[in-house]
Amino acid sequence: MTYSKTQIIDHLQQIHQFIRQTVADMPEEKLFAGTETQWSPADYLKHLIIANKPFAKGLMMPHDQLGEMFGKSDNGSMTYDELVAIYQKLIDEGLRAELAPSVTPVNYRMPEGVTDVKTYLIETWDDANQRIIRALEGWSEGDLDTYRTPHPAIGVITVREMLYFTIHHNRLHGNDIANGA
């Protein structure tokens, strides 16, 4: 299935609200209950924030600058299902976020002076998602299929494909959060 920009925004907003409400409703002892080998729900949220914030920043760049940095696609975008299948194949072959230290929760830097970590994480999650949505205002349907951006495991993909990944990735880890990780 190919999602329009409006459908992409709807999916991102629904998943954002699901995760936000799940975290807000979760008792702190459950939210932060993780081990050395198992991320806590808060760790999954940190991972999503780390993944979403740079993408939002990239979406705010001038389109021609993205084109110069990563090229343009002549083939358009694959469908949501095709992108998810490629990512799932990588996972099946052993891809793990833990193998990419830049997106692991241990690399999440909490600002000094934060005393209410739960509220801070929720607000940061809200901000990351709002930045993606706001940035999309400047993108046409054609631009989403033309301009490309890097994904750390998949390679250089179109902006629409990265949005598909973001939907899938947020949903995947939103379920991890909801299930208590």
Side-chain angles (χ1 to χ4, degrees), residues 23-37:
V23 171
D25 292 344
M26 189 174 287
E28 289 200 17
E29 58 275 1
K30 185 175 181 181
L31 181 64
F32 297 105
T35 67
E36 290 288 321
T37 58

Side-chain angles (χ1 to χ4, degrees), residues 44-58:
Y44 277 106
L45 183 57
K46 290 174 186 176
H47 169 69
L48 289 176
I49 292 167
I50 291 169
N52 282 300
K53 284 181 82 172
F55 179 48
K57 186 176 180 179

Side-chain angles (χ1 to χ4, degrees), residues 32-41 43-44 98 105 176-177 179-181:
F32 297 105
T35 67
E36 290 288 321
T37 58
Q38 178 62 43
W39 289 357
S40 69
D43 289 336
Y44 277 106
E98 295 85 346
D176 291 328
I177 292 167
N179 293 327

Side-chain angles (χ1 to χ4, degrees), residues 2-77:
T2 300
Y3 295 144
S4 69
K5 182 172 89 168
T6 301
Q7 290 171 312
I8 288 168
I9 291 169
D10 288 345
H11 283 286
L12 290 171
Q13 289 174 327
Q14 288 169 11
I15 297 161
H16 165 253
Q17 285 302 322
F18 169 73
I19 293 171
R20 184 189 206 292
Q21 195 62 52
T22 300
V23 171
D25 292 344
M26 189 174 287
E28 289 200 17
E29 58 275 1
K30 185 175 181 181
L31 181 64
F32 297 105
T35 67
E36 290 288 321
T37 58
Q38 178 62 43
W39 289 357
S40 69
D43 289 336
Y44 277 106
L45 183 57
K46 290 174 186 176
H47 169 69
L48 289 176
I49 292 167
I50 291 169
N52 282 300
K53 284 181 82 172
F55 179 48
K57 186 176 180 179
L59 285 174
M60 307 252 326
M61 292 174 62
H63 300 11
D64 59 339
Q65 188 176 353
L66 275 180
E68 290 172 15
M69 293 171 67
F70 307 111
K72 293 182 180 180
S73 174
D74 295 326
N75 304 326
S77 297

Side-chain angles (χ1 to χ4, degrees), residues 32-132:
F32 297 105
T35 67
E36 290 288 321
T37 58
Q38 178 62 43
W39 289 357
S40 69
D43 289 336
Y44 277 106
L45 183 57
K46 290 174 186 176
H47 169 69
L48 289 176
I49 292 167
I50 291 169
N52 282 300
K53 284 181 82 172
F55 179 48
K57 186 176 180 179
L59 285 174
M60 307 252 326
M61 292 174 62
H63 300 11
D64 59 339
Q65 188 176 353
L66 275 180
E68 290 172 15
M69 293 171 67
F70 307 111
K72 293 182 180 180
S73 174
D74 295 326
N75 304 326
S77 297
M78 62 184 100
T79 66
Y80 175 85
D81 292 334
E82 290 168 332
L83 184 280
V84 169
I86 288 169
Y87 184 65
Q88 187 59 51
K89 184 175 185 285
L90 291 169
I91 290 173
D92 293 346
E93 292 172 351
L95 177 69
R96 297 288 177 267
E98 295 85 346
L99 301 175
S102 64
V103 294
T104 58
V106 296
N107 285 319
Y108 189 89
R109 299 291 175 236
M110 193 70 62
E112 287 187 41
V114 171
T115 56
D116 185 347
V117 174
K118 180 178 180 177
T119 298
Y120 177 82
L121 288 175
I122 290 170
E123 290 171 354
T124 305
W125 171 242
D126 289 346
D127 181 64
N129 283 277
Q130 289 166 2
R131 286 175 186 247
I132 290 172

